[in-house]
Amino acid sequence: MARKPKIERFNENVLAKYQIYNSIFMTLPFDTITNTGVLLPLFKDVCEKGYELHKNPTEIVEKFFAQYQDNPSEKDKHDLLFRFIQYIERQVVLFDAIEDAAFPVVNNMDGRGTLRSIKEEAQAKGQLEELKDYLRRFKIRPTLTAHPTQFYPGTVLGIIHDLDSAIRVNDLAKIKKLLAQLGKTAFFKKEKPTPFDEAVSLIWYLENVFYHSASTIYNYIQENIFEGEEMDNDLINLGFWPGGDRDGNPFVTTETTLKVAKRLRKTILINYYRDMRELKRRITFGNLQEKIIKLESALYDNFYYSKTAEPLSIEALLNGLLEIKEELIEEHQSLFLEDLQAMINKVKVFGFHFATLDIRQDSRVHHKVLTDIVQKTNEAGLGIFPENYESLSEKEQIKVLSEVKGKLDPSIFEEDITRATIESIYAIQTIQKDNGERAANRYIISNNGGELNVMETFAMIRLCDWQQPTVDVIPLFETVPDLKVAHAVMESLYSNPVYMDHLKRRGMKQTIMLGFSDGTKDGGYLMANWGIFKAKEELTEISRKYDVDVIFFDGRGGPPARGGGNTNQFYASLGPTIEDEQIQITVQGQTISSNFGTLDSCQYNLEQLLGAGVENQLTTNDANRFSEENKKTMQELADISYQTYVDFKSHPKFLPYLEHMSTLKYYGKANIGSRPSKRSKSTTLDFGDLRAIPFVGSWSQLKQNVPGFYGVGTALKSFEDRGEFDKVVTLYKDSAFFRALIANSMMSLTKSFFELTAYMKEDNEYGKFWDIIHDEFELTKKLLMKLTGYSELMQNEPAGRASIDMREKIVLPLLTIQQYALKKIQDMNRTEDADTELREVYEKMVTRSLFGNINASRNSA
């Protein structure tokens, strides 16, 4: 029987099931005062019809109360609205669970980009040996980051997992119980999580999902592509930021870093211990049982840090397993060899560290710390820096920094940030000693603008009694100006003999991080993406010139505006002018749970990343190379878009609009993540200090999604006005990269809903500014339809669009409540004697409504 189209599979296995299970959920008796489950559908209907009639959120809410409530008090109104928020949050969870359960049915688990497809394509083209050669050196590294806009507590994650399982087998009795449990379980965190709390939450995904999915992929490749021969490449590395990412987070301490590293080690050893117990149940013959028991006991003693235990090294564990393997083959006809080999593969992939804990700090902090180090060491007469260091030219300072060495004692410094920075470097050394070098061997410099930023960090590392550091210094280029000079910065570093010696010791590999999030915030959607593409081309060229293997690490957020969207399609579109030996990306927020939250979705998306790298290497070759004409068109589009976005940011109402008309300041009040919503402690709103998550997230809560499209329409219009739109059409047809950008921008437009905030155009202060945003939205939508030939947005992804449409319908009442509360607060701000307690109620309403909107969008921040 022919396989049904994806949209039909989605409708049958997601939408239809949601209607059934939601109807059960809505009739469960969760409260005794009012049957909220009966009233919510009525409120939803009032919202939908209200926006069709161009009513504003205040009118919609008031009409609902007038129509379905008998003269309720203000308190009764507020109580019901809060109960609506609670119900909608749980509807989102239900939809998540249903979509997760349907994942292997809706998605073709053996389709294009999967391992089976990769192998069959390579065989058909006679490229199997080339594929094997590529897989011996290619790696992917998803890095779970410390920005958990996914706020579900562990209890809710457990319910989602159990719902997923029950829905797969259509166990209605269990589903009903779980929905009842869901209705009564608290979602809201009363306190902000600590960095360690965040780490523990994300380690759950490592332990329960990545551990199994990554090893399944590795086993498949070894058995089916390499046919049992050793691959000698760990292929899938995992990265980890909670507990190591200090950039703007004052709550990350050295103690936290060491504690997280210890937790990662303990978790992987526990997983090995469980697997070893399973092996013991299978391999019960010869004297192998005794050898397995010895390794099992050693693992148990080591993850509990038994004082009497003999320290277990990764080499000892691997050698013990290999010894068992040899005897299994020679004396026992390889019985249960596959099980044993799977265990060996896991140890190779995850080591004793599970995931590499990256350290990250801002270059401006480093400069401040180094200045303090220079002053204090000179006062102490240590002779590390010349007395006139601060008056030297940048070139002279770099020469000094290249030659310094020493063993700084953190305790001699009075500044907390100086002590913490030095301690973090010693912490890397401690973690490497306990968990292996792969446990912590990367130091990332945010806001890197020049060679001096890198050399200041490199010098600080060497001043911590580490003359030949086993750590990679990784500059992060984020803003448009920084991206433009990135290649020149790296050429200066490659020309520095001391730094080049360091690279030689590190295998002539240089990792460079590029930030989509702050790039978009700084330069707009097209310029950020094109700027990164060009920077990668230039960095590839300069690195090849110096025989350095450059590895790009992309700082991606969830939404298209921050480098998200269809990531796999993006990587498959890169041509031969960009180095692609590894794909390294950050994964954060709801993207972790939506793309990697279940065994099926995790395996599928990891395979798609592998497939993107293989496709770019083996099948497209020169097909994705830009012609000179297309490159010129792309550059002009980016330039016009950039100027349009810069002019928009320069509008006098830009920051006030965000501050007073959006949810921006409420991100700081929500107990979502441990990090402050901006880098500085200033009470005034400064664009430079504003983090990308609350910035992009605030536009998303407004359903305006400005960072994902603003400037695109104006850029396209300029070509249309001078009769050269055909150039853009040619670019779209020829360039997979441009098509990926357009598709992701379309996703941003699809998730926009300007009817929600249409009331703002009547505002005396911000009405004209709202019009500017809306006009650009309409222009972009119109011209993207013309460019693609579509009759509706995301026409080529009907299942994806259907998922977005359903999620947007679920949260429409929530968005209405949020805007209603915001409008009340805005009105109160214009009144001198406003009721303080009432204001707090509305502020709480805004904050509480953030969560459901965030989780429903799955990639909104």
Side-chain angles (χ1 to χ4, degrees):
M1 185 184 291
R3 188 176 174 87
K4 292 181 179 179
K6 187 174 181 179
I7 183 62
E8 285 187 32
R9 302 197 302 272
F10 179 86
N11 289 338
E12 289 176 9
N13 293 279
V14 179
L15 291 187
K17 284 189 176 182
Y18 176 74
Q19 300 299 341
I20 294 168
Y21 298 142
N22 185 50
S23 64
I24 296 171
F25 175 65
M26 297 298 277
T27 56
L28 292 174
F30 293 130
D31 57 78
T32 54
I33 304 168
T34 312
N35 195 338
T36 313
V38 172
L39 291 171
L40 181 54
L42 298 174
F43 180 53
K44 180 172 175 285
D45 187 58
V46 172
C47 290
E48 289 175 354
K49 289 178 179 174
Y51 290 118
E52 286 175 9
L53 295 171
H54 308 294
K55 302 293 183 183
N56 64 49
T58 304
E59 291 170 327
I60 288 169
V61 172
E62 288 175 352
K63 180 178 181 181
F64 166 77
F65 282 119
Q67 193 167 341
Y68 294 106
Q69 297 278 278
D70 184 16
N71 196 27
S73 67
E74 285 298 303
K75 185 179 183 305
D76 289 340
K77 288 182 182 178
H78 299 155
D79 287 347
L80 183 58
L81 292 176
F82 276 114
R83 287 202 299 278
F84 281 165
I85 291 171
Q86 291 173 321
Y87 258 68
I88 295 164
E89 284 174 339
R90 286 153 179 80
Q91 285 181 309
V92 172
V93 170
L94 175 60
F95 192 81
D96 282 349
I98 293 169
E99 205 163 31
D100 286 345
F103 190 92
V105 179
V106 174
N107 295 280
N108 186 352
M109 300 299 283
D110 292 319
R112 187 170 181 83
T114 62
L115 290 175
R116 182 173 175 178
S117 168
I118 290 166
K119 181 191 175 185
E120 289 175 353
E121 253 187 82
Q123 277 181 322
K125 295 179 179 180
Q127 292 183 313
L128 199 55
E129 286 306 313
E130 288 97 320
L131 173 61
K132 288 162 72 173
D133 182 57
Y134 186 61
L135 290 174
R136 286 189 185 98
R137 63 181 192 275
F138 180 63
K139 296 179 192 291
I140 60 171
R141 183 194 291 261
T143 297
L144 308 189
T145 72
H147 319 312
T149 45
Q150 169 67 278
F151 79 105
Y152 293 141
T155 48
V156 176
L157 286 173
I159 297 170
I160 293 173
H161 180 270
D162 294 341
L163 263 176
D164 179 335
S165 302
I167 289 166
R168 284 174 192 253
V169 295
N170 204 29
D171 186 342
L172 284 171
K174 188 172 183 182
I175 290 167
K176 190 169 182 178
K177 278 189 174 181
L178 289 168
L179 290 175
Q181 181 189 359
L182 183 67
K184 291 178 175 292
T185 301
F187 275 42
F188 186 60
K189 292 180 180 176
K190 293 181 180 178
E191 295 179 358
K192 277 183 178 288
T194 66
F196 185 71
D197 294 333
E198 292 175 338
V200 170
S201 295
L202 293 190
I203 288 172
W204 185 93
Y205 289 99
L206 294 181
E207 180 178 14
N208 293 285
V209 185
F210 283 92
Y211 180 74
H212 304 285
S213 297
S215 56
T216 297
I217 291 171
Y218 192 96
N219 295 341
Y220 181 94
I221 290 173
Q222 188 178 56
E223 290 169 18
N224 294 280
I225 296 178
F226 285 83
E227 298 179 336
E229 69 174 280
E230 289 298 318
M231 193 171 16
D232 198 28
N233 177 24
D234 50 16
L235 194 67
I236 300 172
N237 300 155
L238 300 177
F240 204 74
W241 275 16
D245 180 13
R246 287 160 164 71
D247 179 18
N249 192 340
F251 308 111
V252 176
T253 64
T254 304
E255 181 187 2
T256 306
T257 303
L258 293 170
K259 196 175 170 185
V260 169
K262 191 174 281 190
R263 181 64 172 252
L264 284 165
R265 182 182 189 274
K266 180 178 179 178
T267 305
I268 193 61
L269 291 184
I270 288 173
N271 277 22
Y272 291 159
Y273 173 75
R274 289 176 186 146
D275 283 355
M276 198 68 76
R277 287 176 64 86
E278 286 298 312
L279 276 178
K280 189 174 71 170
R281 292 180 64 187
R282 301 279 78 86
I283 303 175
T284 53
F285 35 83
N287 67 344
L288 295 181
Q289 179 95 156
E290 188 180 321
K291 292 180 177 180
I292 289 175
I293 289 172
K294 185 179 177 182
L295 291 175
E296 177 195 7
S297 299
L299 284 166
Y300 183 88
D301 289 342
N302 274 265
F303 69 69
Y304 274 121
Y305 296 97
S306 170
K307 291 179 181 177
T308 59
E310 187 75 26
L312 179 66
S313 67
I314 186 81
E315 293 77 18
L317 179 59
L318 261 179
N319 289 338
L321 291 169
L322 291 171
E323 188 180 317
I324 294 168
K325 177 182 177 180
E326 187 179 343
E327 192 169 327
L328 203 60
I329 294 169
E330 290 180 359
E331 299 183 23
H332 302 287
Q333 296 79 47
S334 300
L335 189 59
F336 296 116
L337 179 61
E338 281 187 7
D339 297 40
L340 179 63
Q341 187 62 54
M343 175 79 186
I344 292 168
N345 291 344
K346 285 173 179 173
V347 176
K348 286 181 178 178
V349 171
F350 303 117
F352 274 14
H353 64 288
F354 212 161
T356 300
L357 186 59
D358 289 345
I359 307 297
R360 182 173 75 133
Q361 185 55 281
D362 193 287
S363 64
R364 293 165 292 192
V365 172
H366 287 158
H367 183 72
K368 180 182 176 183
V369 168
L370 189 85
T371 302
D372 190 31
I373 290 172
V374 171
Q375 291 172 354
K376 291 293 185 295
T377 55
N378 281 344
E379 286 171 11
L382 298 181
I384 297 174
F385 293 92
E387 290 292 334
N388 65 337
Y389 174 81
E390 291 180 57
S391 63
L392 296 176
S393 67
E394 184 171 311
K395 187 175 180 181
E396 290 169 328
Q397 286 184 343
I398 289 170
K399 187 175 187 305
V400 172
L401 294 170
S402 301
E403 297 167 355
V404 296
K405 58 183 177 180
K407 185 178 180 180
L408 295 176
D409 178 358
S411 66
I412 70 168
F413 296 94
E414 297 170 10
E415 290 285 341
D416 290 342
I417 191 65
T418 305
R419 281 199 311 276
T421 303
I422 296 169
E423 285 172 355
S424 71
I425 297 167
Y426 283 115
I428 297 174
Q429 298 176 44
T430 301
I431 294 167
Q432 287 193 4
K433 180 174 171 291
D434 293 342
N435 298 4
E437 187 197 310
R438 287 193 297 164
N441 61 5
R442 292 148 57 97
Y443 198 117
I444 300 162
I445 311 162
S446 302
N447 278 296
N448 198 100
E451 182 189 0
L452 183 64
N453 297 146
V454 176
M455 292 309 295
E456 285 179 337
T457 308
F458 187 58
M460 284 191 291
I461 291 171
R462 300 199 327 150
L463 281 168
C464 292
D465 197 25
W466 214 359
Q467 275 303 290
Q468 295 188 354
T470 49
V471 64
D472 298 319
V473 181
I474 303 175
L476 166 51
F477 299 102
E478 301 178 82
T479 65
V480 172
D482 288 349
L483 288 168
K484 286 181 178 177
V485 300
H487 66 290
V489 170
M490 295 315 300
E491 180 161 30
S492 297
L493 287 167
Y494 296 155
S495 302
N496 185 316
V498 175
Y499 192 79
M500 183 53 84
D501 284 344
H502 167 68
L503 289 182
K504 287 173 183 173
R505 290 192 299 272
R506 302 298 293 162
M508 289 298 281
K509 295 183 184 297
Q510 172 67 56
T511 302
I512 298 171
M513 190 172 179
L514 301 154
F516 283 79
S517 299
D518 281 294
T520 303
K521 173 177 160 261
D522 176 61
Y525 179 69
L526 281 185
M527 179 57 88
N529 283 274
W530 180 236
I532 287 172
F533 185 94
K534 285 201 306 172
K536 282 185 176 180
E537 280 194 323
E538 293 165 340
L539 288 164
T540 297
E541 184 180 357
I542 205 69
S543 298
R544 287 172 179 172
K545 175 183 170 183
Y546 286 88
D547 295 320
V548 174
D549 293 328
V550 67
I551 299 161
F552 295 117
F553 178 23
D554 289 330
R556 293 179 170 275
R562 297 182 54 230
N566 193 326
T567 306
N568 309 322
Q569 182 183 348
F570 175 87
Y571 283 110
S573 74
L574 301 178
T577 56
I578 292 176
E579 204 69 76
D580 62 347
E581 291 293 288
Q582 295 193 31
I583 291 177
Q584 298 192 5
I585 58 169
T586 54
V587 188
Q588 64 187 34
Q590 320 93 299
T591 315
I592 295 172
S593 59
S594 61
N595 288 358
F596 300 97
T598 67
L599 294 173
D600 290 321
S601 63
C602 184
Q603 183 175 332
Y604 180 83
N605 283 298
L606 288 176
E607 286 188 25
Q608 289 292 317
L609 274 180
L610 284 167
V614 170
E615 183 177 344
N616 194 29
Q617 177 74 15
L618 300 185
T619 60
T620 58
N621 202 17
D622 279 0
N624 285 329
R625 190 188 290 270
F626 273 90
S627 68
E628 284 305 311
E629 185 62 29
N630 280 340
K631 187 174 278 192
K632 185 180 174 186
T633 302
M634 185 70 233
Q635 183 64 57
E636 190 171 353
L637 285 169
D639 287 339
I640 296 168
S641 173
Y642 175 66
Q643 192 55 54
T644 305
Y645 180 75
V646 169
D647 291 345
F648 176 63
K649 278 198 311 180
S650 301
H651 193 287
K653 295 300 179 187
F654 180 81
L655 281 178
Y657 181 81
L658 272 177
E659 189 168 15
H660 301 298
M661 304 300 279
S662 83
T663 59
L664 181 66
K665 61 185 175 185
Y666 298 94
Y667 272 81
K669 297 179 180 181
N671 296 324
I672 295 175
S674 71
R675 233 171 41 164
S677 58
K678 56 182 183 175
R679 286 183 170 93
S680 76
K681 294 179 181 179
S682 170
T683 53
T684 57
L685 183 61
D686 180 82
F687 186 77
D689 287 330
L690 186 59
R691 288 201 169 277
I693 286 177
F695 175 72
V696 174
S698 296
W699 291 114
S700 174
Q701 296 277 331
L702 285 170
K703 306 312 291 180
Q704 294 177 358
N705 290 321
V706 160
F709 71 83
Y710 200 92
V712 176
T714 298
L716 293 173
K717 184 75 166 59
S718 67
F719 277 81
E720 183 186 56
D721 286 347
R722 60 178 190 257
E724 295 181 350
F725 200 75
D726 58 310
K727 290 184 178 180
V728 186
V729 173
T730 299
L731 173 64
Y732 183 75
K733 287 179 179 176
D734 292 351
S735 170
F737 171 79
F738 186 59
R739 288 197 299 276
L741 289 190
I742 293 302
N744 284 338
S745 190
M746 272 196 174
M747 187 187 292
S748 292
L749 295 172
T750 304
K751 291 185 176 185
S752 298
F753 183 64
F754 276 81
E755 289 86 342
L756 179 74
T757 57
Y759 71 90
M760 292 183 186
K761 64 183 175 184
E762 307 300 329
D763 189 275
N764 291 333
E765 188 172 357
Y766 298 108
K768 290 181 179 177
F769 187 75
W770 186 92
D771 283 335
I772 292 171
I773 302 168
H774 184 242
D775 289 348
E776 183 67 18
F777 166 81
E778 291 291 348
L779 180 64
T780 304
K781 181 179 175 181
K782 173 189 163 190
L783 291 177
L784 286 190
M785 304 285 241
K786 177 179 178 179
L787 175 63
T788 58
Y790 295 167
S791 57
E792 65 175 359
L793 294 170
M794 294 181 68
Q795 185 176 312
N796 64 329
E797 297 179 71
R801 182 184 174 93
S803 176
I804 290 171
D805 286 347
M806 191 64 219
R807 289 173 177 278
E808 296 298 318
K809 284 179 182 176
I810 292 171
V811 296
L812 183 64
L814 195 61
L815 292 163
T816 303
I817 293 168
Q818 185 184 81
Q819 286 298 318
Y820 167 77
L822 278 171
K823 184 68 168 65
K824 290 287 187 182
I825 294 166
Q826 290 158 14
D827 291 343
M828 285 181 165
N829 289 340
R830 298 184 180 101
T831 308
E832 290 184 8
D833 56 345
D835 187 328
T836 306
E837 287 186 15
L838 191 57
R839 184 201 300 273
E840 287 177 0
V841 170
Y842 288 124
E843 287 182 344
K844 183 182 177 184
M845 205 175 283
V846 174
T847 305
R848 286 289 285 110
S849 60
L850 287 173
F851 305 116
N853 293 333
I854 287 170
N855 287 314
S857 293
R858 283 205 155 184
N859 65 354
S860 66

